[in-house]
Amino acid sequence: MIIEDGRGSTVTDLIVRKLRFAFASHPVPFVWNEANPAFSSMANAVSFLAIGFEKMIGSMIPEAMPYIGDPAVAEEADAFVRQEGQHAMAHRQHAKGLIKAYPALKETLDHVVAAFDDMTANTPLKYRLAYTADLEATFTPVFKLMLDHDDTLFAPGDDRVASLFLWHVVEEVEHRSSALTIYDAIVDDPWYRMRVAPSIFKHVMGIIRLASEDFNRHVPLSDRKVDAMST
């Protein structure tokens, strides 16, 4: 988020934190919260989505930088993409743990990443900026709901996975306006964002569906406890 520094200048207040979660220290359970297998499965799908989405952001921001004229927005964009890079790295470690237990999920991750790579290659910059701004706009209310119920969604679960998600959702709330700020600095067309929103959320749900279908296919019911599509 961009703030004034007290001297009339505007700067970003985003902090890039580098955290590690010891996913390699012992096996990563698919149902990492035994009390809530449905939420466990949904969060696992989000980890896969986050890797592809944040890779797309990592390519998008350098492409967008030449079009940002405001130094404060450029600083915000740089901090935003570096935060997202840390998130992607951590989610890759989570996914790597799941793939170690269920090797066929490597193909699932490849398909998810390929879907975002295709978007990078075949959609205009303004669409990807709108995609990021629209999706990130949903995160604050959704993640606040999660944080309000952390006693049941996260506290009983594997410390590594729970800590990963708590850190990620807090930082998403922290940079809640960054993607919109970048979009407005370059495109500045709220009607375009509204027009493309249905295709954006259809794409997101398609990724979650892809991952969930593969969870059903590659993870035994005895391990996942629920129909992953039900999440």
Side-chain angles (χ1 to χ4, degrees), residues 104-165:
L105 293 182
K106 172 65 165 61
E107 183 176 323
T108 305
L109 180 59
D110 289 344
H111 287 160
V112 169
V113 171
F116 283 100
D117 286 347
D118 179 72
M119 185 181 297
T120 295
N122 296 303
T123 63
L125 175 62
K126 70 175 184 177
Y127 182 83
R128 284 171 278 133
L129 289 167
Y131 188 109
T132 307
D134 282 355
L135 184 54
E136 297 255 334
T138 70
F139 287 167
T140 295
V142 172
F143 291 163
K144 182 182 184 302
L145 181 66
M146 292 183 182
L147 292 171
D148 286 347
H149 297 278
D150 69 297
D151 57 329
T152 57
L153 295 179
F154 298 110
D158 182 288
D159 286 346
R160 299 164 299 170
V161 184
S163 296
L164 163 63
F165 276 93

Side-chain angles (χ1 to χ4, degrees), residues 180-202:
L180 181 59
T181 297
I182 297 163
Y183 175 87
D184 285 344
I186 298 172
V187 184
D188 195 23
D189 183 351
W191 301 110
Y192 177 76
R193 277 199 306 111
M194 291 178 65
R195 286 197 304 274
V196 299
S199 70
I200 289 167
F201 291 105
K202 181 179 179 181

Side-chain angles (χ1 to χ4, degrees), residues 21 23 26-29 31-34 154-164:
F21 299 95
F23 283 114
H26 54 278
V28 178
V31 176
W32 54 270
N33 182 348
E34 288 283 351
F154 298 110
D158 182 288
D159 286 346
R160 299 164 299 170
V161 184
S163 296
L164 163 63

Side-chain angles (χ1 to χ4, degrees), residues 21-52:
F21 299 95
F23 283 114
S25 63
H26 54 278
V28 178
F30 187 86
V31 176
W32 54 270
N33 182 348
E34 288 283 351
N36 198 330
F39 182 71
S40 296
S41 184
M42 187 276 289
N44 293 341
V46 168
S47 253
F48 280 57
L49 182 146
I51 293 164

